[in-house]
Amino acid sequence: MSVVLIAYDGTSNARRAVNYAARFLAAKRVVVLTVWTPIRSGPDPVSVDLDGPPDPIEDDPEEEHDIAYSDALRTNEEGTKLAVTAGMNAEPMLVPVQGTIWRAIINAADRIDADLVVSGTRGTTGLRSLLQSSVADHVLRHGRRPVLIVPPGH
């Protein structure tokens, strides 16, 4: 195997998936993917300012900061560090979601031509599993690549 994509969202199930990938897979390249949802500011700032005169509007694009991106970056750094510590040659990848998370994972896997996608899952069962398909399940059903789904630990 040469390219493995690990979907990583910072949950204990995602950490478990990283550990299983490190334990059982030999890959030349491992990409740790975190999909994030941008927080878009509205078209018009709040018109009522209760603390006095209006705050100055910053025109500097460096000042525009998406906290969702910062959170995703921290999550991805954690996952990449976990993979490297486990002995994998891992690199980070962040992708903003523009539809569904599972579609973003499939598109990222296609973009890097991944040989395998690794994902943890919530492990829901019964009626709940019928009502809530997991992201991993959608990647498995809709993607064209092999998928290793690591169930939650006990």
Side-chain angles (χ1 to χ4, degrees):
M1 215 170 287
S2 53
V3 181
V4 172
L5 177 80
I6 301 174
Y8 188 81
D9 64 2
T11 62
S12 61
N13 294 335
R15 286 189 292 278
R16 183 173 161 86
V18 170
N19 288 326
Y20 265 79
R23 187 171 165 194
F24 294 107
L25 303 175
K28 291 180 184 172
R29 180 180 180 206
V30 174
V31 177
V32 177
L33 170 69
T34 300
V35 177
W36 61 286
T37 303
I39 297 176
R40 293 172 175 78
S41 59
D44 194 18
V46 177
S47 59
V48 178
D49 191 350
L50 300 177
D51 68 350
D55 297 328
I57 297 173
E58 299 289 335
D59 290 333
D60 184 5
E62 293 295 320
E63 292 297 318
E64 279 188 40
H65 187 71
D66 188 334
I67 58 171
Y69 173 77
S70 296
D71 186 51
L73 185 60
R74 277 190 301 278
T75 299
N76 188 262
E77 287 172 350
E78 171 191 288
T80 303
K81 182 178 179 182
L82 181 63
V84 168
T85 301
M88 292 185 278
N89 183 21
E91 61 188 73
M93 182 179 202
L94 286 145
V95 174
V97 69
Q98 295 179 340
T100 61
I101 293 171
W102 60 266
R103 178 62 64 193
I105 293 169
I106 290 170
N107 290 343
D110 289 345
R111 193 174 315 126
I112 66 168
D113 196 21
D115 296 303
L116 178 71
V117 176
V118 177
S119 177
T121 186
R122 293 185 309 249
T124 56
T125 59
L127 180 61
R128 188 174 191 186
S129 70
L130 293 174
L131 299 174
Q132 295 179 324
S133 292
S134 72
V135 169
D137 183 57
H138 277 90
V139 171
L140 176 65
R141 292 177 189 270
H142 299 286
R144 296 178 309 277
R145 300 178 183 282
V147 179
L148 171 63
I149 299 175
V150 179
H154 299 291

